[in-house]
Amino acid sequence: MAERTPVIAGNWKMNTDVESGLKLVKKIFEFSEGVSGVDKIVCPPSIAITSIAQTLAGTSIQVGAQNVSANDDGAFTGELSTSMLRGLVSHVIVGHSERRAMFGETSDQVAAKAIKAADAGISPILCIGEDLAVRKSGKAAEYVANQLEESLTGYSNWDSLIVAYEPVWAIGTGEAATSEQAQEMTVVCREVVRKLAPAAADSVRVLYGGSVNSGNVAELLAQPDIDGALVGGASLKVDEFSKLIAAAGSS
Ligand code: PEP
């Protein structure tokens, strides 16, 4: 069985400004720099990426973006390219359910972004997950497998990929998936990777995301196929986020 370093990634979404973001990372650094054996990632809003990347340079905390364009440059108002992000971020979230639902991102577009990011040396954290109606229909596994396979169309840089299983019904609701549900679905994700790239299946990291907090993280991380967490709300609280890092790593 491949050794997989756990990941704790914080998705700040459209929260904080540059000043409060800097304060937050300084505190996270203070509380978690002594913890090793875990990849610690913060994904601030784009406007704060440069100053946060400069502040965290040389520390164990990595910076990610929340989105990236699949285009190189040109008339794409409001977008950021991989060449703008390269050197500042190590990771980028692609296909978050909020982008799929509110901005109409399709799995084809997500695949193009993931490929573009990986080609630029930026690891995609590729999100997939079913909504409540799909969960209630009993077809969550099939839905997630299809969504992930479509979101990986043409993808080949397997070493760089991180998958995040994030059931939409668990995001920001305080109602996390049970560890059994999360384990079952992370296996579904891993099996999709096995189908597309058999050699990568046991080494690809598959995270769970959706209302992860210091009270449920240990049980989630104890599952054999859950390699960490993508965290929204709790990533904005120094105390909580530091506890998640501590739970995944060792000091
Ligand atoms: C997310 O948005 O990726 C997320 C997991 O949010 P929360 O932790 O707040 O549910």
Side-chain angles (χ1 to χ4, degrees):
M1 186 62 71
E3 274 293 314
R4 300 187 295 262
T5 304
V7 178
I8 298 292
N11 173 13
W12 294 4
K13 311 192 188 191
M14 198 174 73
N15 295 297
T16 71
D17 54 23
V18 177
E19 202 187 330
S20 59
L22 279 168
K23 274 191 194 147
L24 183 56
V25 288
K26 283 177 189 160
K27 285 276 175 204
I28 293 169
F29 170 77
E30 210 178 291
F31 282 90
S32 69
E33 191 53 12
V35 182
S36 57
V38 49
D39 285 350
K40 314 159 194 169
I41 306 164
V42 291
C43 304
S46 359
I47 194 159
I49 284 176
T50 305
S51 40
I52 287 181
Q54 283 163 355
T55 299
L56 292 177
T59 74
S60 65
I61 304 173
Q62 304 174 72
V63 182
Q66 297 177 17
N67 187 25
V68 68
S69 173
N71 297 291
D72 286 326
D73 52 33
F76 301 100
T77 302
E79 295 286 284
L80 289 181
S81 68
T82 49
S83 58
M84 295 169 188
L85 290 171
R86 200 184 351 226
L88 293 171
V89 305
S90 50
H91 295 77
V92 60
I93 298 170
V94 294
H96 191 280
S97 61
E98 286 154 15
R99 295 216 55 89
R100 291 178 187 262
M102 295 179 210
F103 303 97
E105 274 186 23
T106 64
S107 290
D108 282 350
Q109 289 168 331
V110 174
K113 289 176 180 211
I115 292 166
K116 198 81 188 166
D119 284 352
I122 301 171
S123 294
I125 302 176
L126 197 166
C127 304
I128 34 76
E130 81 286 358
D131 65 16
L132 192 57
V134 173
R135 167 65 48 178
K136 282 186 172 160
S137 75
K139 297 210 165 108
E142 193 184 326
Y143 178 92
V144 164
N146 286 337
Q147 195 185 39
L148 181 56
E149 191 166 346
E150 279 169 21
S151 302
L152 286 171
T153 304
Y155 190 86
S156 59
N157 200 331
W158 299 101
D159 285 347
S160 129
L161 178 70
I162 297 176
V163 175
Y165 166 62
E166 297 210 303
V168 178
W169 48 269
I171 295 180
T173 60
E175 192 204 333
T178 64
S179 50
E180 291 77 17
Q181 287 170 324
Q183 163 64 16
E184 188 188 327
M185 297 300 285
T186 46
V187 169
V188 168
C189 296
R190 197 174 300 289
E191 291 313 305
V192 169
V193 175
R194 196 178 309 283
K195 180 176 157 192
L196 300 174
D202 291 326
S203 52
V204 72
R205 276 143 345 142
V206 185
L207 316 183
Y208 165 76
S211 296
V212 174
N213 58 42
S214 59
N216 58 24
V217 70
E219 200 183 329
L220 287 161
L221 294 180
Q223 303 305 309
D225 284 277
I226 301 179
D227 303 317
L230 180 55
V231 186
S235 72
L236 295 165
K237 299 177 193 147
V238 177
D239 202 36
E240 275 289 288
F241 196 60
S242 307
K243 283 182 184 163
L244 304 186
I245 291 171
S250 50
S251 44

